[in-house]
Amino acid sequence: MILVGAGHAHLEVLLAARAFRQRGTELCVIDPGRFWYSGLGSAMLAGTASEEADTVDPQRLAASCGATHLCGRVAGLDRPARRLILADGRRPSYDLVSFNVGSTVRQPFPVDSPDVWTVKPIANLQRLRQALLADSRPLTIAVAGGGPTSCELAGNLLRLARDERRAFRVILVCAADRLLPKAPPGASAAAAQRLGSAGAEILLNRRIASVRPHRIVFADGAGLDFDVLVQATGLAASPVMAELGLPTRRSGELEVTTALHAREDARVFAAGDCAAIEGYDLPKIGVYGVRAGPILRDNLLAALDGRPPEAYRPQARYLSILDLGDETGLAMRGRQWRHGRLMLWLKHWLDRRFMRRYQRRYGA
């Protein structure tokens, strides 16, 4: 059995490698590198969380659990032959295969400029931190988005500037008429107030038409010069999902049943940002991949046993806590929200508990 990608759900499946071996099945995970946790990405950018705290080594985790790891990138699927097609030409065979390969940043406008960084892959944020610290000039940093991730990025860029005594002008560019347009209005106002107090400039109702060399061009023809642009403009499924020969939604997610397997091939499973569960239109946030993990594990085992699968019913409401970079957190669940230092403490506790579950298996 092959797991493609070391995402949230597959980390949980790896912990059950012994149960697969007991059924005569070897578990193999194919992934090109480390798992980077999005929940600590902004803190890593600011330097309040280390690179080690934000990553899991899938090779060491697999070895500690009795599974194997293959370093590589999947480019397609030969379903009749039950073989994966890797970018380097290798074609490993499978009985069951599961995809948990995450997402990429959606590109809603053309970009033709250096010094443009996307928030995914999360490793970009560590490279961005290094690039910013290596440049001694005063910098104008534009953050394109307006949602939770862009608010965290703006706040933590300002935190980085304060801690490193750097001159960063941080401009948050939002196409909507308020930050966090899907959040309760009070939460949006609190985020705007805290980021503004920290020094962020917030531009609302500013739709980007294109990005030219070091210049944003807005739909109304106005422009904004920048030194660095960070894109947090929404997410789309990993492009590999369109290469599987199976139905996908418009934004690229593999269409799966509530049992988390493809509608047209019960041997192909998927979870997290790269999957679209029938009957649901879910935001691309880690909590759904985390919650799908135990169901995916059990249904893969059920497929081996010939047992009926369990349905995954995603929760309607979920807890989201933003790290605003000023030692406070903004917590939201449905229409309820709360802001303060205690919320940031809770976020850190939840994030580190999640990561330690896997890191401690190989002694990290």
Side-chain angles (χ1 to χ4, degrees):
M1 179 182 299
I2 295 180
L3 307 177
V4 181
H8 297 84
H10 281 175
L11 294 180
E12 191 65 24
V13 177
L14 277 174
L15 296 186
R18 178 179 298 180
F20 288 92
R21 288 200 312 275
Q22 290 172 345
R23 291 162 171 80
T25 298
E26 291 297 320
L27 202 58
C28 173
V29 58
I30 299 177
D31 192 80
R34 289 182 290 177
F35 166 80
W36 294 76
Y37 178 50
S38 58
L40 287 172
S42 295
M44 181 180 61
L45 172 62
T48 55
S50 68
E51 181 177 335
E52 291 72 24
D54 194 38
T55 56
V56 171
D57 185 331
Q59 182 174 5
R60 294 174 68 189
L61 179 63
S64 70
C65 295
T68 59
H69 175 268
L70 185 62
C71 185
R73 192 177 300 277
V74 172
L77 188 64
D78 182 349
R79 290 197 297 125
R82 291 184 193 165
R83 288 186 176 273
L84 289 160
I85 303 168
L86 271 61
D88 61 9
R90 288 176 292 176
R91 296 171 63 94
S93 61
Y94 67 87
D95 295 309
L96 299 173
V97 61
S98 177
F99 288 82
N100 188 206
V101 291
S103 53
T104 60
V105 172
R106 189 169 52 87
Q107 292 285 352
F109 43 77
V111 175
D112 179 18
S113 178
D115 294 314
V116 176
W117 299 76
T118 56
V119 70
K120 285 209 170 182
I122 299 298
N124 276 0
L125 298 180
Q126 175 64 3
R127 291 190 284 268
L128 173 59
R129 172 182 168 82
Q130 294 168 350
L132 292 175
L133 292 180
D135 192 335
S136 60
R137 299 173 299 159
L139 296 174
T140 296
I141 306 173
V143 180
T149 300
S150 58
C151 289
E152 281 204 328
L153 288 172
N156 281 278
L157 284 166
L158 291 164
R159 174 65 181 266
L160 175 62
R162 290 193 300 272
D163 289 353
E164 299 294 331
R165 298 184 179 181
R166 304 297 301 277
F168 292 169
R169 178 190 179 197
V170 177
I171 306 172
L172 186 50
V173 182
C174 178
D177 60 1
R178 63 182 174 102
L179 295 182
L180 306 175
K182 296 182 180 180
S188 297
Q193 190 276 326
R194 298 300 299 191
L195 292 173
S197 294
E201 300 174 41
I202 302 170
L203 303 183
L204 302 176
N205 295 305
R206 305 300 285 169
R207 189 170 299 278
I208 298 174
S210 65
V211 177
R212 299 174 185 172
H214 292 289
R215 185 170 178 83
I216 294 171
V217 179
F218 295 112
D220 62 5
L224 173 68
D225 293 331
F226 66 86
D227 297 301
V228 176
L229 171 63
V230 187
Q231 268 190 263
T233 48
L235 300 175
S238 172
V240 71
M241 306 310 290
E243 306 300 323
L244 305 185
L246 289 164
T248 59
R249 287 193 185 168
R250 181 175 298 178
S251 50
E253 304 92 346
L254 180 67
E255 294 185 351
V256 299
T257 69
T258 55
L260 301 179
H261 63 68
R263 291 190 292 106
E264 295 186 4
D265 191 335
R267 292 182 176 272
V268 179
F269 289 73
D273 286 357
C274 68
I277 303 169
E278 61 182 355
Y280 296 91
D281 185 13
L282 302 175
K284 287 180 169 47
I285 55 174
V287 65
Y288 289 115
V290 172
R291 296 294 178 88
I295 305 297
L296 177 64
R297 175 200 63 207
D298 293 347
N299 285 352
L300 289 169
L301 291 170
L304 295 175
D305 295 341
R307 294 182 285 108
E310 180 182 352
Y312 172 48
R313 306 293 185 190
Q315 64 206 77
R317 297 188 298 169
Y318 54 88
L319 176 65
S320 172
I321 308 177
L322 307 187
D323 175 357
L324 296 180
D326 63 351
E327 300 185 355
T328 70
L330 178 63
M332 297 170 286
R333 186 174 188 272
R335 306 311 298 173
Q336 297 179 328
W337 66 276
R338 181 172 293 182
H339 169 263
R341 291 177 178 269
L342 180 60
M343 297 302 101
L344 185 61
W345 178 89
L346 177 61
K347 173 179 172 56
H348 287 169
W349 182 80
L350 291 169
D351 288 340
R352 290 185 167 93
R353 183 183 67 168
F354 172 78
M355 293 297 287
R356 289 301 299 167
R357 174 172 173 80
Y358 306 104
Q359 293 167 337
R360 68 186 179 193
R361 290 297 295 261
Y362 56 86

